[in-house]
Amino acid sequence: MSRKKHSLATNAIHGGSGARHPGDPIAPPLVQSVNFIQEVGTEDGLLYTRYGNTPNLVQVQKRLALIEGAEASLVLASGMGATACAMLALLRPGDHLLASSHIYGGTYRLLTEEFTRNGIEVTLVDPFEPRAWRKHLRKETRAVFVESPVNPTCRVLDMRPISYLTKEVGLALVVDSTFASPVNFRPLEHGADVVIHSGTKYLNGHHDAMCGVVCGTEPYIAEVLAKMMVWGQAPDPFAAWLLDRGLKTLDVRVKRQNENAMRIALWCADRKEIKKVHYPGLRTHPDHDVAKAMLDGWGGMLAIELTGGGKAADRFLRRLKIIQHATSLGGVDSLVSEPRYSSHARMSSEERSRIGIPDGFTRISVGIEDADDLIADIEQALK
Ligand SMILES: Cc1ncc(COP(=O)(O)O)c(C=O)c1O
């Protein structure tokens, strides 16, 4: 049987490679040069790393577009660089943005401090309140920004009513789907126009490259590129190479992370030391049914609230041996972090509580270690 379209797992390895010939390397060479000899008398073929058009960048961008099901993609220097340029390509001073109030702390600061200071009005909307988006619409509203699943609460947004509204009114729907990776969630299939990733997380997957990704239509990505070039947000070629290398195992890594996280969530749900487990795969999760409709896998991220609150969380973190206390997520090593001291440190305790992050809330990024070893590590740390 011949298949026209390759699956994500195949595209993550071969996507956009073109024909191969005897003598070609299997692993793509790293072209670290930022300068390339230019033809005289024309700007055609001008290559420069800050322009996002050098060999390792071009290769991985083609691959990411195929994986996400987009016309084009752009790799930037970080997830924050990706969000900043993606939104700057859509918004001008005087425009209004509707953004979910349940978003990563860095994005929250970018939108509510930097953008507002530069003449872009931002309204934060509770995405779990029915009709809230419509209520806050203005004639200057240009885009809707959401994150799903949400860092760190693992809430999952129903894209159906949101994309229905953005299509009806003609707004751009931008989705940060870092937490899911394209293995578990492809927002373009659910009505989104733009997808953002912190490539530092699942896409790279090995804790060794900082990068971000924006996917969308070709003309839109050209606009994002124009922002990236002047705001200086291009990645280094080695980061692009590491991202490409990480992508090759994305499918198997994320599936293993999904399995491990489900096992850990089920185990944690039975422990008296743990007050609450936040994991969309559990039937008790408020968005379990939404997640069923949106996601292909429950994800490798979960969070727990210990019965003993903040103090118990500190003790637990100090006693873990395999699972390391570090910010960031999505890589092969399991990591744990407390948002009040990392991703959401700049929010007040009240602001955090409002979006479901009480003190002592502990986020676990499940890696690809043996699940029994991870459970044993958690068990001995809870004692
Ligand atoms: C959901 C989400 N979006 C964006 C970012 C920013 O990514 P980066 O750290 O690569 O700039 C993060 C980082 O934690 C994140 O969790």
Side-chain angles (χ1 to χ4, degrees):
M1 188 177 81
S2 82
R3 287 167 28 130
K4 272 207 193 101
K5 271 180 141 184
H6 288 145
S7 70
L8 184 150
T10 306
N11 277 329
I13 297 170
H14 300 291
S17 291
R20 316 291 284 277
H21 305 286
D24 282 354
I26 294 297
L30 167 62
V31 184
Q32 185 64 39
S33 184
V34 293
N35 297 126
F36 294 79
I37 296 164
Q38 186 186 354
E39 205 175 311
V40 178
T42 173
E43 65 170 349
D44 290 350
L46 170 60
L47 300 185
Y48 188 49
T49 292
R50 184 161 50 76
Y51 299 171
N53 62 4
T54 54
N56 296 104
L57 298 180
V58 169
Q59 159 98 9
V60 74
Q61 283 162 182
K62 280 191 200 152
R63 204 157 275 174
L64 283 160
L66 285 166
I67 289 172
E68 202 59 78
E71 272 177 36
S73 90
L74 187 68
V75 177
L76 298 95
S78 67
M80 286 309 299
T83 304
C85 292
M87 299 317 290
L88 286 172
L90 289 170
L91 302 166
R92 308 276 172 276
D95 286 349
H96 175 237
L97 170 70
L98 286 175
S100 166
S101 53
H102 291 237
I103 47 177
Y104 165 63
T107 312
Y108 171 82
R109 293 212 309 275
L110 174 73
L111 302 183
T112 60
E113 294 174 21
E114 300 302 317
F115 279 22
T116 50
R117 208 176 282 150
N118 286 288
I120 295 164
E121 297 253 355
V122 179
T123 304
L124 294 178
V125 174
D126 180 349
F128 303 105
E129 195 191 300
R131 299 182 59 80
W133 298 102
R134 196 177 284 275
K135 204 162 74 194
H136 293 286
L137 267 182
R138 297 186 198 163
K139 72 174 186 327
E140 299 81 16
T141 310
R142 295 284 167 269
V144 169
F145 178 93
V146 299
E147 181 181 302
S148 185
V150 176
N151 180 7
T153 56
C154 303
R155 295 292 308 262
V156 181
L157 271 58
D158 190 348
M159 303 304 298
R160 291 164 291 193
I162 306 175
S163 64
Y164 182 85
L165 177 72
T166 54
K167 297 250 179 303
E168 179 195 324
V169 185
L171 308 176
L173 175 55
V174 183
V175 181
D176 179 340
S177 73
T178 297
F179 245 46
S181 95
V183 176
N184 290 336
F185 182 41
R186 290 166 305 285
L188 299 180
E189 293 174 7
H190 298 271
D193 302 291
V194 177
V195 182
I196 294 173
H197 286 280
S198 164
T200 318
K201 313 296 189 310
Y202 286 100
L203 299 181
N204 162 265
H206 292 75
H207 317 274
D208 54 11
M210 169 75 42
C211 55
V213 178
V214 185
C215 302
T217 62
E218 263 170 25
Y220 167 72
I221 291 299
E223 292 284 323
V224 185
L225 171 65
K227 299 296 171 200
M228 180 182 94
M229 285 164 69
V230 292
W231 288 86
Q233 286 299 321
D236 184 81
F238 189 37
W241 187 91
L242 285 168
L243 173 62
D244 194 26
R245 178 182 165 126
L247 277 183
K248 288 178 191 287
T249 54
L250 178 72
D251 192 66
V252 284
R253 275 189 285 110
V254 172
K255 285 177 180 161
R256 167 79 164 223
Q257 284 164 306
N258 289 344
E259 271 172 38
N260 279 1
M262 186 69 193
R263 282 201 50 202
I264 294 171
L266 285 169
W267 185 87
C268 287
D270 273 346
R271 301 293 303 203
K272 65 176 183 337
E273 302 91 333
I274 299 173
K275 193 165 71 182
K276 199 163 177 189
V277 183
H278 302 257
Y279 188 64
L282 297 182
R283 265 193 234 123
T284 50
H285 189 278
D287 309 319
H288 181 67
D289 289 334
V290 169
K292 254 191 215 162
M294 297 291 122
L295 307 180
D296 290 339
W298 305 118
M301 299 300 301
L302 66 104
I304 54 175
E305 286 173 49
L306 296 189
T307 312
K311 262 198 169 161
D314 281 354
R315 181 177 178 277
F316 172 67
L317 262 55
R318 283 180 211 287
R319 289 172 60 87
L320 286 166
K321 293 194 170 72
I322 298 174
I323 305 173
Q324 295 299 318
H325 181 220
T327 195
S328 202
L329 58 106
V332 290
D333 299 41
S334 291
L335 303 178
V336 65
S337 81
E338 270 191 275
R340 66 173 162 158
Y341 297 128
S342 54
S343 58
H344 291 66
R346 292 268 301 272
M347 278 185 180
S348 67
S349 182
E350 294 72 47
E351 277 171 324
R352 281 194 300 266
S353 292
R354 212 175 302 134
I355 57 168
I357 314 172
D359 288 353
F361 184 103
T362 301
R363 185 190 79 183
I364 304 175
S365 168
V366 180
I368 62 168
E369 302 94 335
D370 185 285
D372 288 331
D373 291 336
L374 295 174
I375 289 170
D377 196 33
I378 294 170
E379 186 169 27
Q380 64 76 31
L382 285 173
K383 273 187 189 144

